[in-house]
């Protein structure tokens, strides 16, 4: 695939299209922000990055993941973070901008995508960000025990979360790399009847002592396909502050926690490697 003028030059009409391992990647300029770009893979939006303002999170689910990042530790304190799924490194850039001197590991299987992003949307050379091009679970296995304050899972292949990243065995390794007070957060996608989402909550509840879920109320009611952000920890979560932040978003989110979240699972059972399946494919209308 050919590409037009480089995204780095900040030209409003400089779209980039290129074949990567996971399909056809497109970098589409944001008409409202001079050096901001949306990454799409096979037409599905993956990331939004503002090179001038990496603290800006445009996508609804990324803002909610940003809220979790903001609450992992006191404001501005450096953290150690693992990102499973990199895309355009939106969240790694956000951590680097809001928590200077943080140390981060990004695991992104698509090596060609990493090279495209590195070339067209370069991140701060001084940021302590290491990118590994390997499978998310294989990359996680290389992280030392108790290393991370935060593990972020945002992995999609063909707009679906791979099955091996949905199980209790996967979460066992997440817990291994987390510090005792660390947070795990995941971007989940589902639609009616929400069987995948309910199963993922049950799976996390089998491994962590405290959970919260942030999503648009219409998604939680099973009225449309959408994203939900799961947060889990073995220490009490800052639910009141998370609730306040989610409610103040341009598209307010609702936080479920405690008894309400347990009831939401509807008796769903934890998922294991033996019975794991990929998350459901989004309907064709999801990205229109």
């Amino acid at each position: 695939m050919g590409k037009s003028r480089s995204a780095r030059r900040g030209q409003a009409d400089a779209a980039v299209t290129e074949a990567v391992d996971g399909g056809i990647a497109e970098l589409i300029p944001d008409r409202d922000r001079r050096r901001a770009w949306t990454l799409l893979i096979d037409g599905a939006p993956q990331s939004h990055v503002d090179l001038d303002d990496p603290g800006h999170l445009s996508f609804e689910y990324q803002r909610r993941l940003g809220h979790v990042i903001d609450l992992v530790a006191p404001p501005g304190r450096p953290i150690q973070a693992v990102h499973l799924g990199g895309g355009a490194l939106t969240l790694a850039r956000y951590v680097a901008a809001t928590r200077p001197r943080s140390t981060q590991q990004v695991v992104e299987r698509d090596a060609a995508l990493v090279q495209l992003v590195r070339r067209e949307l370069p991140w701060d050379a001084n940021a302590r960000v290491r990118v590994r091009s390997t499978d998310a679970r294989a990359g996680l296995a290389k992280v030392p025990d108790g290393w991370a304050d935060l593990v972020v899972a945002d992995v999609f292949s063909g707009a679906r979360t791979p099955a091996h990243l949905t199980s209790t065995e996967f979460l066992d390794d997440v817990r291994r790399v987390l510090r005792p007070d660390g947070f795990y957060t995941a971007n989940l996608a589902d639609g009616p009847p929400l069987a995948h989402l309910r199963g993922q909550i049950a799976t996390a509840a089998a491994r962590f002592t405290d959970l919260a879920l942030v999503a648009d109320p219409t998604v939680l009611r099973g009225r449309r396909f959408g994203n939900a952000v799961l947060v889990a920890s073995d220490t009490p979560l800052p639910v009141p502050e998370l609730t306040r932040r989610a409610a103040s978003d341009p598209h307010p989110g609702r936080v479920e926690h405690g008894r309400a979240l347990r009831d939401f699972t509807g008796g769903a059972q934890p998922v294991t490697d033996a019975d794991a399946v990929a998350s459901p494919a989004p309907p064709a209308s999801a990205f229109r």
Side-chain angles (χ1 to χ4, degrees):
M1 288 285 175
K3 65 178 187 298
S4 61
R5 291 163 291 180
S6 170
R8 286 175 290 183
R9 296 169 190 167
Q11 295 169 341
D13 59 345
V16 177
T17 302
E18 190 161 309
V20 296
D21 299 339
I24 301 301
E26 298 174 88
L27 292 174
I28 307 298
D30 185 330
R31 303 296 178 182
D32 298 323
R33 303 178 76 90
R34 189 178 68 87
R35 297 183 69 227
W37 303 84
T38 298
L39 167 67
L40 296 87
I41 304 292
D42 288 341
Q46 299 288 328
S47 305
H48 180 278
V49 169
D50 188 331
L51 299 182
D52 288 335
D53 182 10
H56 173 76
L57 299 176
S58 179
F59 287 1
E60 181 179 284
Y61 84 87
Q62 289 182 330
R63 281 197 302 274
R64 290 170 183 160
L65 290 169
H67 296 328
V68 177
I69 292 168
D70 291 343
L71 297 173
V72 168
R77 197 196 83 182
I79 62 171
Q80 296 187 167
V82 177
H83 302 265
L84 304 179
L89 274 69
T90 304
L91 293 171
R93 298 171 200 258
Y94 180 83
V95 171
T98 60
R99 296 177 177 275
R101 303 182 308 284
S102 291
T103 304
Q104 303 183 75
Q105 298 189 40
V106 178
V107 184
E108 171 54 63
R109 183 172 187 169
D110 195 327
L113 176 61
V114 172
Q115 291 306 311
L116 171 66
V117 171
R118 191 186 297 273
R119 184 185 74 236
E120 301 293 342
L121 306 176
W123 53 92
D124 185 352
N126 294 319
R128 299 174 182 177
V129 178
R130 178 183 181 184
V131 183
R132 290 177 173 172
S133 295
T134 188
D135 172 77
R137 197 152 155 183
L140 183 67
K142 295 182 181 299
V143 180
D145 294 2
W147 183 85
D149 298 293
L150 172 70
V151 174
V152 180
D154 186 14
V155 183
F156 287 86
S157 176
R160 304 177 71 183
T161 300
H164 69 300
L165 304 180
T166 67
S167 66
T168 51
E169 290 89 343
F170 164 65
L171 290 185
D172 285 337
D173 215 25
V174 169
R175 290 187 75 244
R176 178 189 64 79
V177 307
L178 281 174
R179 292 174 176 168
D181 59 349
F183 285 15
Y184 168 66
T185 187
N187 175 30
L188 308 174
D190 200 8
L194 299 180
H196 173 72
L197 185 57
R198 298 181 203 278
Q200 287 303 284
I201 296 167
T203 304
R207 291 297 183 267
F208 290 95
T209 59
D210 201 16
L211 308 178
L213 188 72
V214 191
D216 186 294
T218 60
V219 173
L220 292 175
R221 289 195 290 265
R223 293 184 179 176
R224 69 172 179 87
F225 192 96
N227 297 86
V229 168
L230 174 68
V231 192
S233 181
D234 283 328
T235 59
L237 293 169
V239 174
E241 181 60 17
L242 182 62
T243 301
R244 185 190 69 77
R245 291 171 181 249
S248 67
D249 280 339
H251 298 284
R254 192 172 83 202
V255 176
E256 295 288 7
H257 177 258
R259 174 71 178 273
L261 187 56
R262 289 192 296 272
D263 290 346
F264 177 81
T265 64
Q269 296 300 304
V271 175
T272 67
D273 278 346
D275 54 23
V277 297
S279 67
S285 60
F287 306 125
R288 291 176 186 168

